[in-house]
Amino acid sequence: MKRPAARQRKRRKPQARAAKPSSRRKVLVIDVGGTGVKILATGQTEHRAFPSGPKLTPSQMVSGVKKLARDWDYDVVSIGYPGPVVHGCPIAEPHNLGRGWVGFDFAAAFGRPLRLINDAAMQALGSYKGGKMLFIGLGTGFGSAMVVNGTVEPMELGHLPYKKGVYEDYVGRRGLERYGKKKWCRQVADVVAGFIAALEPDDTVIGGATSKSSMRCHPVRAQATTTMPSLADSGCGSMRAQTAGHARNTELEDAAHGCSI
């Protein structure tokens, strides 16, 4: 007599452990600028900063950030880099800082999962509300980015030819110091108007370290939809920009966790 075949138990497929919600992650955001490095972390209300300058190397930046954030708790890092970035890695050295940024392993240096994007793109995300938005960052240089339906596109408009130099020479910090406030205002207004006419954004946000000066210029103020420095500039990019660096479904998803070239 044949024994009845043993019933085969249905094996339950192991369920993948749910990823830790990005909202629970504590993010350290670093805004690397030509005259200063600003940091802010989840749960903190005041940003911290230290001077940068034309000799700042990536190793010095990392050391300075770690020192400033030594009493902060954070799980991941987002960096706003003042130059072109492809797949989360710098592809050119910054114009206003020292050398050694291209090929530097930021993730290894911080010992955390890390994403790096263009600084203007980070600031733009911190101010974005929807539609098609143009962000112009007036600081040591001239930053620019577009956000269209949630997708951010950094641009290097500041280094395009303009008059006898490039845009950055006229509307960056050097232009403000060289030409004085009145003439600088006229130049900023002319540049902003030109880009608005060419790109046709729904909203225009002017931010950056010298944006407070531009907001006192009526011709500039009249063209900007947001007549104040962006949220990014008050604390390296608001919590929206911080979260975006690790969770938002935009081109930021293509950013690598660190750069090893």
Side-chain angles (χ1 to χ4, degrees):
M1 182 175 179
K2 293 184 179 180
R3 294 182 180 179
R7 293 182 180 178
Q8 295 183 350
R9 295 182 180 179
K10 292 184 179 180
R11 294 183 180 179
R12 294 182 180 179
K13 293 182 180 180
Q15 294 181 350
R17 183 175 295 179
K20 187 178 181 180
S22 58
S23 59
R24 295 180 185 176
R25 289 179 175 177
K26 292 185 178 180
V27 185
L28 174 66
V29 169
I30 306 167
D31 181 10
V32 182
T35 55
V37 176
K38 294 183 290 186
I39 67 172
L40 185 68
T42 305
Q44 304 298 323
T45 57
E46 297 291 333
H47 77 268
R48 297 175 180 177
F50 63 91
S52 57
K55 295 183 179 180
L56 184 75
T57 65
S59 295
Q60 292 171 339
M61 182 276 289
V62 172
S63 297
V65 169
K66 285 184 174 180
K67 184 177 180 180
L68 276 187
R70 60 184 178 272
D71 59 335
W72 287 355
D73 183 26
Y74 55 94
D75 305 306
V76 292
V77 179
S78 289
I79 299 178
Y81 175 76
V85 175
V86 174
H87 301 307
C89 299
I91 60 170
E93 298 289 342
H95 288 267
N96 300 299
L97 299 174
R99 305 294 91 182
W101 297 80
V102 175
F104 187 82
D105 194 335
F106 294 93
F110 280 102
R112 301 284 198 286
L114 181 144
R115 289 198 175 177
L116 184 148
I117 65 172
N118 174 265
D119 58 345
M122 176 179 281
Q123 294 175 28
L125 284 171
S127 304
Y128 183 65
K129 295 180 180 178
K132 183 179 179 182
M133 189 197 80
L134 168 65
F135 174 83
I136 292 176
L138 302 173
T140 306
F142 177 84
S144 54
M146 290 284 292
V147 187
V148 181
N149 298 327
T151 299
V152 62
E153 184 62 45
M155 300 184 291
E156 290 293 315
L157 301 178
H159 301 118
L160 293 178
Y162 180 69
K163 294 185 178 180
K164 296 181 180 181
V166 295
Y167 284 100
E168 189 171 283
D169 296 330
Y170 292 85
V171 296
R173 187 180 298 276
R174 289 192 300 272
L176 177 59
E177 294 171 350
R178 180 185 305 148
Y179 300 109
K181 179 69 176 295
K182 188 174 182 179
K183 188 173 182 180
W184 180 81
C185 280
R186 291 199 301 267
Q187 290 174 164
V188 172
D190 178 65
V191 168
V192 172
F195 285 128
I196 289 176
L199 300 171
E200 299 181 336
D202 301 320
D203 299 308
T204 302
V205 176
I206 298 177
T210 59
S211 60
K212 292 181 180 178
S213 297
S214 71
M215 287 305 102
R216 298 189 186 100
C217 306
H218 177 71
V220 179
R221 192 171 63 248
Q223 297 176 71
T225 305
T226 299
T227 57
M228 64 182 69
S230 73
L231 295 173
D233 306 304
S234 63
C236 314
S238 84
M239 291 302 155
R240 285 177 57 201
Q242 291 183 31
T243 304
H246 285 273
R248 191 164 181 162
N249 185 25
T250 66
E251 290 182 359
L252 295 175
E253 291 297 309
D254 295 329
H257 288 271
C259 306
S260 300
I261 300 174

